Amino acid sequence: MKADYESIIGLPAILPTTCLLPLILYGLCRLALYIRSDYQSFLDLGPGGTPSTPWGWWRLKRLGLFTLPDVLEPPPVPSQLKPSKGYVDASKFPIRNGPRPTVRGIAPQRQLSQRASPKTFNVLSSHFRALASANARNLLVKTSFIEHSNIALFARPTSALYHDKKAKADPLFGREICHPHPLDSSMHLILHPSDAATVINMGWGERHPLARADWWWRFYFQGLRGKRPPVPEYMVLVYAPRDAREVEVSKKMVGAAVSWAVGGENVREP
């Protein structure tokens, strides 16, 4: 029967195997090239909340299966949330001119275009320190709890505001409020969801791809695994300011994040 089959098609029966092997090798080579390129792209984003190692890259690939479908869709405002309104007046907040920058990555999440200079990062960092100095009872600056590398602004755990529940800084994330990124001068801010919507709709930023507000997300990490989620649910990437005017807008957004963390009536401008 085998001989008859070979005589009918005019080819040896081993041909399917000899054809399949080169296809497998070609597929493996393409996969290896993709892994090498994607891993290098991960390293090019600089240090962040994930170790710059193959294991860190692999962890992010797995988390990437659960990213938000649209980072430009504002987070919902829970009906029971107090205060129900944020700290930014949307009617007076300016619209960002021009296209949004290209953003890549999860941890770290960074801009690939429209990056600002190190001078801008220094201006933002100085503003963080000035805010902490002007509000020493409620704020402090130290190394980021979320990203482990750059500086960040925190609410003090000893603040009396926690007794009357005015402070919203999440202890799961060390009560971190915001941090700037040396690579591009963008920032991550934890905002009231209403303020997050204003920032996104006016073109100044986008949600972190893992900033999910779904009940099952928290249940999986806290209920089943006994761990915190990867990032706070209302964390937003604010794009790097491109000029002095945008630096001032960025400072207003930082002020909104601080107001959400410790209570707006308790924040002094530096």
Side-chain angles (χ1 to χ4, degrees):
M1 186 67 183
K2 179 179 179 182
D4 293 341
Y5 174 75
E6 292 178 357
S7 64
I8 292 173
I9 63 174
L11 294 171
I14 197 174
L15 183 60
T17 302
T18 58
C19 288
L20 188 60
L21 183 59
L23 289 176
I24 293 175
L25 292 175
Y26 174 76
L28 290 174
C29 288
R30 290 295 299 268
L31 178 62
L33 289 173
Y34 164 77
I35 291 174
R36 178 183 178 183
S37 175
D38 196 66
Y39 180 65
Q40 186 59 52
S41 297
F42 162 64
L43 295 179
D44 289 343
L45 294 176
T50 303
S52 299
T53 62
W55 176 251
W57 171 83
W58 175 239
R59 177 176 180 268
L60 291 182
K61 300 306 291 185
R62 290 182 286 120
L63 285 174
L65 299 173
F66 303 98
T67 54
L68 293 169
D70 184 5
V71 293
L72 299 182
E73 181 180 349
V77 181
S79 57
Q80 72 278 12
L81 184 66
K82 294 181 180 180
S84 59
K85 295 182 179 181
Y87 298 89
V88 172
D89 187 346
S91 64
K92 298 180 180 179
F93 203 71
I95 297 175
R96 184 180 185 272
N97 297 322
R100 296 175 186 266
T102 302
V103 176
R104 290 289 183 271
I106 298 176
Q109 179 194 28
R110 299 289 187 268
Q111 291 179 210
L112 298 184
S113 63
Q114 301 182 30
R115 290 177 172 177
S117 67
K119 180 180 178 180
T120 301
F121 170 78
N122 292 335
V123 169
L124 296 174
S125 299
S126 296
H127 182 63
F128 278 31
R129 294 188 175 92
L131 269 173
S133 178
N135 300 271
R137 291 182 59 188
N138 297 321
L139 302 176
L140 74 157
V141 171
K142 59 181 181 179
T143 302
S144 171
F145 178 90
I146 296 172
E147 295 217 348
H148 316 305
S149 53
N150 36 296
I151 70 163
L153 195 60
F154 290 79
R156 287 189 180 274
T158 56
S159 173
L161 302 172
Y162 288 95
H163 295 292
D164 56 16
K165 298 184 179 180
K166 290 182 180 180
K168 302 296 182 181
D170 194 340
L172 283 177
F173 298 93
R175 297 183 174 87
E176 183 169 339
I177 301 170
C178 49
H179 58 255
H181 304 129
L183 181 69
D184 55 7
S185 296
S186 66
M187 297 184 292
H188 275 131
L189 275 61
I190 303 165
L191 294 165
H192 185 288
S194 177
D195 290 338
T198 299
V199 169
I200 293 169
N201 292 334
M202 295 299 183
W204 294 97
E206 60 191 64
R207 295 171 73 181
H208 188 282
L210 291 178
R212 306 195 70 104
D214 309 277
W215 67 267
W216 59 266
W217 184 248
R218 285 219 170 213
F219 175 75
Y220 169 72
F221 282 99
Q222 294 178 255
L224 297 182
R225 300 187 63 190
K227 297 182 177 180
R228 63 173 178 82
V231 299
E233 58 187 350
Y234 299 130
M235 192 161 86
V236 173
L237 177 77
V238 171
Y239 304 138
R242 297 168 293 183
D243 53 37
R245 169 184 167 272
E246 292 193 359
V247 167
E248 294 306 311
V249 176
S250 295
K251 289 180 179 179
K252 290 181 179 179
M253 289 183 274
V254 171
V258 171
S259 295
W260 169 238
V262 302
E265 67 277 14
N266 301 291
V267 180
R268 296 178 180 178
E269 289 297 323

